[in-house]
């Protein structure tokens, strides 16, 4: 199953994770992010509530597999990082998404006008409840 969701920022990402993903018993679960700042923020918002969930960077997830993966912060300026090669960033996102064996949640962030960034748009991120996002079983 793949679900692409659009969030307003880190607090909204945490709420989506809290209500849609992490409360369910879906086996070995990981939350993947682009940089340590994102990880520290998400661990502060969620870590104590979900000690069974692994939080790690996309780079650290290489070679690992999880039953359920949530890739967060898919937004221009985060992933892709403006200081990195766009194709390398695309490959990194691919690696993160392919860590999921059964369920993948991609959470993109909207810009100030409520629109998804480039990668989030390509992945079909939409607001929870919209029928625009990519959802596949």
């Amino acid at each position: 199953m793949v679900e692409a969701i659009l969030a307003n920022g880190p607090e909204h990402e945490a709420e989506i994770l809290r209500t849609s993903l992490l409360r369910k018993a879906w086996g070995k679960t990981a939350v993947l992010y682009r940089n340590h700042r994102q990880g520290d923020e998400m661990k502060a918002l969620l870590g104590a509530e979900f000690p069974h969930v692994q939080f790690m960077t996309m780079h650290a997830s290489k070679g690992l597999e999880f039953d359920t993966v949530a890739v967060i912060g898919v937004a221009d300026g985060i992933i892709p990082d403006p200081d990195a090669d766009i194709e390398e960033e695309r490959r990194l996102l691919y690696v993160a998404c392919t860590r999921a064996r059964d369920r993948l949640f991609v959470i993109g962030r909207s810009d100030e006008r409520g629109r998804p960034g480039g990668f989030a748009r390509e992945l079909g991120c939409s607001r929870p409840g919209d029928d625009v996002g990519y959802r596949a079983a």
Side-chain angles (χ1 to χ4, degrees):
M1 178 186 87
V2 177
E3 188 163 346
I5 305 166
L6 191 61
N8 295 326
E11 292 83 11
H12 191 207
E13 284 176 333
E15 188 56 33
I16 290 168
L17 289 171
R18 188 177 285 116
T19 59
S20 311
L21 170 64
L22 301 180
R23 290 262 181 240
K24 297 180 172 116
W26 280 349
K28 193 173 170 187
T29 302
V31 174
L32 307 181
Y33 40 84
R34 174 67 178 87
N35 59 55
H36 290 289
R37 185 190 54 74
Q38 281 181 286
D40 292 345
E41 198 169 46
M42 202 52 57
K43 284 184 240 178
L45 290 167
L46 293 173
E49 288 179 70
F50 303 100
H52 63 285
V53 174
Q54 294 186 47
F55 294 84
M56 68 183 66
T57 65
M58 293 176 185
H59 284 100
S61 74
K62 288 181 182 178
L64 302 175
E65 284 189 331
F66 303 91
D67 299 312
T68 303
V69 169
V71 178
I72 64 168
V74 180
D76 293 345
I78 300 173
I79 180 78
D81 182 315
D83 297 327
D85 176 74
I86 189 77
E87 291 308 315
E88 284 297 321
E89 293 293 282
R90 190 177 305 281
R91 284 187 281 277
L92 180 60
L93 182 57
Y94 174 81
V95 165
C97 290
T98 58
R99 302 304 87 206
R101 281 191 288 250
D102 301 320
R103 286 164 214 84
L104 171 64
F105 294 83
V106 177
I107 304 178
R109 287 192 193 169
S110 58
D111 65 15
E112 60 280 347
R113 289 175 265 168
R115 297 179 307 192
F119 284 1
R121 190 173 43 256
E122 290 173 19
L123 292 169
C125 288
S126 65
R127 300 207 178 282
D130 288 352
D131 289 331
V132 187
Y134 180 73
R135 292 170 178 85

